[in-house]
Amino acid sequence: MSVTHQARVLELDSQIELLERLQLLTQFTSNFVTVSGASGAGKTWLAQRFLETWAQDKNQALLMCHPNQTDEQRRTTILTQLLSEPLFNPADSLVESFTRNMEHEACDIVIVVDDAHLLNESLLSELWLLLMQAQHYNRWRMNIVLFTRVASLDALFRRLSHGQDIKPIELEIESLSSQEAERFLEQLVMRYVEDDMERRVRNAYRTVARRPGEIMALLDQKVEKKIVIRSIIGSPINIALVVLLLFTMIGGGYWWMMGQPTPDETAQQITGEIEQTVIPTLEQPQTNSAAETSINSESAEQQSGALDPSFIGAEDDSTALPPEVVEKPESVGVIDDDSQRVVITSEVVDALLENEAQQADITEIEQFVDDTRQPVEADSASPAKPVIGFSFAKDELNDFSPRSYTLQLAAVNSLAEVQNFLDRYDLNNKVMVYPTLRDGVEWFIITYQNYPTIQVARDAVGGLPEPIQRLGPWAKSLNQVQREIARSN
């Protein structure tokens, strides 16, 4: 659940009891503990509070699961927090990588996984096998604590622990008592609520479950908006008016659509208008005598043979008709739309038509062609190398307290890769870069900000942009950073 800084110092009796049991289980032996609770029970806060206050003497690793993480990213997050100079392949299992680095070393570690129900069965099996491996090394003390939903992993761990002496220890986060819920509401919610919203928030509190997450959600702006909307439209009269308005709008739209002409009626109307614009035929001039009519008829029969009686006496009026429509007009200099166009001035065209092209000034055309070639030649040039726009922050990092922490975002082998990384994630002038040597190979480490404690650094990961969170940034001690800088010198 999302809590403010004040919430970290408000430990209720039920939460203190659960944290004390976790401390006792992880103090002297190696155990596999699952802490289950419903949504909003406070699993995330309890996981961070356990590492911050109740497991300070142990080497810690915190994995906050997200749906878009891969198994390689999760293994990297765990191992880079446990090992000072990790040398491992993210594709290898946790057992192989940890044993390879710590086989001859003593360790007392605790691995805490939040939202463990998002892990794949394969990675959960690796965590269980890692605990089994710790039983064979007397100098290893290893505790794995999973915070998950209620009964989401019971079936899997029953299969993993079948026939073995070690069984997972199951703890459950109970709902707050009425007294604890009231105290939680007053200290963490009501003191931040506006006076005009206090009554509404208290009314909403009566309907929520007695869990920290549900109570903290009362501060959410969305909840306040829902309360305001319900107060506005809560009256039956207002609801009836809204429904009536909707029906009126629907009826008006339907009436407007029915008043529009159909496609057939529109086509008939257009056809009628076209028929009215047809050029009428010229009327046949009347002859004054039957003799002239007879002469015209005989001459027409002689010229065209036997004709339809209706065409006798008709005259050729083709000169009164409009000119024929040309489907494809003739044009000069037609080119494709995708190619370069050359505009020819009217003076050049007139000169060509008068057979005086040799006297026309075509310098304007040549200049335009030269101008159009320049962008093409510029595009064919090879891309420029990235310009290095950052500088090392060795002095700034050495000035920080060795007890403070920073977030390591990436480690690359060249300055160009560093600049590409900064440009890709828009981190120019926002990070601190320093060089170091590992096994004779030069590395460039990219770090972000400085934090007083490891917990503050881990909390800051949630405030980074989503693409950077997917890289798996991890908290790194400034003591180790300053040692690596000294090694490069």
Side-chain angles (χ1 to χ4, degrees):
M1 69 174 174
S2 300
V3 293
T4 59
H5 177 71
Q6 288 82 355
R8 295 191 177 93
V9 299
L10 178 62
E11 291 185 348
L12 304 175
D13 294 340
S14 57
Q15 296 173 343
I16 294 176
E17 181 181 355
L18 178 62
L19 293 173
E20 287 178 345
R21 293 181 63 185
L22 277 177
Q23 185 185 41
L24 182 62
L25 291 171
T26 59
Q27 187 70 29
F28 304 106
T29 58
S30 299
N31 285 302
F32 199 100
V33 185
T34 61
V35 183
S36 59
S39 178
K43 298 185 293 294
T44 300
W45 182 84
L46 287 170
Q48 298 180 6
R49 185 62 175 172
F50 172 68
L51 292 176
E52 183 179 1
T53 306
W54 300 80
Q56 295 179 340
D57 56 339
K58 298 180 180 296
N59 191 8
Q60 306 172 358
L62 173 63
L63 173 61
M64 304 183 70
C65 297
H66 301 284
N68 56 354
Q69 287 177 328
T70 63
D71 288 347
E72 288 78 7
Q73 291 175 333
R74 289 164 177 163
R75 294 190 190 100
T76 301
T77 302
I78 294 174
L79 293 175
T80 51
Q81 294 180 72
L82 296 178
L83 306 176
S84 58
E85 294 185 4
L87 298 174
F88 61 89
N89 184 358
D92 295 340
S93 67
L94 289 173
V95 180
E96 296 176 0
S97 299
F98 190 82
T99 304
R100 188 183 305 116
N101 286 270
M102 298 294 295
E103 183 175 7
H104 304 293
E105 302 290 336
C107 64
D108 183 6
I109 67 174
V110 57
I111 302 175
V112 175
V113 182
D114 188 26
D115 290 329
H117 52 274
L118 298 177
L119 295 178
N120 297 326
E121 290 191 3
S122 59
L123 194 57
L124 287 169
S125 301
E126 291 180 18
L127 291 172
W128 175 261
L129 293 176
L130 184 61
L131 181 69
M132 295 296 99
Q133 185 75 359
Q135 306 301 318
H136 302 290
Y137 291 89
N138 296 330
R139 302 175 63 186
W140 285 12
R141 184 183 302 164
M142 182 176 302
N143 288 275
I144 301 175
V145 184
L146 306 183
F147 287 81
T148 180
R149 291 178 181 173
V150 177
S152 60
L153 304 177
D154 292 350
L156 173 62
F157 287 119
R158 279 197 297 268
R159 295 197 308 268
L160 294 176
S161 62
H162 181 71
Q164 300 183 15
D165 296 335
I166 300 177
K167 302 291 182 182
I169 300 175
E170 299 179 2
L171 301 178
E172 184 176 355
I173 303 175
E174 299 179 353
S175 299
L176 301 178
S177 63
S178 299
Q179 183 178 2
E180 290 178 336
E182 290 288 343
R183 181 184 173 193
F184 194 95
L185 175 69
E186 295 297 333
Q187 296 192 17
L188 300 181
V189 178
M190 297 310 301
R191 61 190 300 182
Y192 304 107
V193 173
E194 300 294 336
D195 295 339
D196 56 342
M197 295 294 297
E198 181 176 354
R199 181 177 179 183
R200 293 171 182 171
V201 172
R202 290 190 182 277
N203 292 334
Y205 166 72
R206 300 190 183 98
T207 62
V208 300
R210 298 300 184 261
R211 292 194 289 267
E214 299 290 338
I215 300 175
M216 287 295 296
L218 296 176
L219 283 174
D220 196 345
Q221 186 177 3
K222 295 180 180 179
V223 175
E224 296 180 1
K225 290 182 178 180
K226 291 179 180 179
I227 295 173
V228 172
I229 292 173
R230 288 174 183 170
S231 64
I232 293 175
I233 66 171
S235 173
I237 299 177
N238 293 339
I239 295 175
L241 292 176
V242 172
V243 173
L244 180 60
L245 179 60
L246 291 176
F247 277 110
T248 302
M249 294 175 62
I250 294 172
Y254 182 75
W255 175 81
W256 179 81
M257 292 178 60
M258 294 298 294
Q260 297 298 316
T262 62
D264 293 338
E265 294 176 350
T266 304
Q268 292 178 3
Q269 183 180 0
I270 296 173
T271 303
E273 294 176 356
I274 294 174
E275 292 176 352
Q276 293 177 3
T277 59
V278 174
I279 299 176
T281 59
L282 298 176
E283 295 182 358
Q284 178 66 27
Q286 297 181 357
T287 59
N288 296 327
S289 63
E292 293 178 358
T293 304
S294 175
I295 292 173
N296 292 335
S297 300
E298 291 176 358
S299 62
E301 289 177 358
Q302 293 176 0
Q303 294 176 2
S304 59
L307 297 176
D308 193 320
S310 61
F311 289 95
I312 296 176
E315 292 183 1
D316 185 9
D317 59 349
S318 59
T319 57
L321 296 176
E324 295 181 1
V325 178
V326 181
E327 295 181 356
K328 185 176 181 181
E330 303 264 339
S331 60
V332 178
V334 177
I335 56 177
D336 295 337
D337 291 338
D338 296 335
S339 61
Q340 297 286 341
R341 295 180 180 267
V342 178
V343 180
I344 302 177
T345 61
S346 60
E347 290 80 5
V348 177
V349 176
D350 293 339
L352 292 174
L353 294 178
E354 296 175 2
N355 295 324
E356 297 177 356
Q358 64 277 11
Q359 300 178 4
D361 186 6
I362 60 173
T363 58
E364 191 174 346
I365 299 177
E366 295 175 351
Q367 181 63 30
F368 183 84
V369 173
D370 293 337
D371 293 341
T372 56
R373 288 176 178 173
Q374 293 178 1
V376 176
E377 295 174 357
D379 293 339
S380 61
S382 59
K385 296 183 179 180
V387 178
I388 306 303
F390 67 92
S391 58
F392 293 136
K394 295 190 291 185
D395 295 337
E396 183 178 356
L397 291 170
N398 284 328
D399 290 339
F400 291 139
S401 171
R403 293 189 171 185
S404 60
Y405 291 82
T406 185
L407 290 178
Q408 179 169 321
L409 303 183
V412 296
N413 294 111
S414 68
L415 297 177
E417 292 180 44
V418 175
Q419 188 61 51
N420 289 334
F421 181 90
L422 301 184
D423 294 339
R424 182 184 307 170
Y425 296 102
D426 193 19
L427 293 174
N428 286 291
N429 301 323
K430 299 179 182 179
V431 296
M432 297 173 287
V433 184
Y434 68 91
T436 186
L437 291 175
R438 294 180 181 175
D439 298 333
V441 179
E442 187 174 22
W443 288 83
F444 301 95
I445 312 300
I446 304 172
T447 63
Y448 181 79
Q449 298 295 340
N450 178 256
Y451 306 94
T453 64
I454 187 174
Q455 190 57 47
V456 175
R458 290 168 176 168
D459 292 344
V461 175
L464 297 176
E466 185 65 24
I468 299 179
Q469 291 188 35
R470 287 196 292 267
L471 301 176
W474 55 280
K476 188 171 186 179
S477 171
L478 258 295
N479 188 16
Q480 181 178 347
V481 171
Q482 293 167 1
R483 290 201 308 269
E484 292 178 355
I485 292 175
R487 189 186 309 159
S488 65
N489 296 332

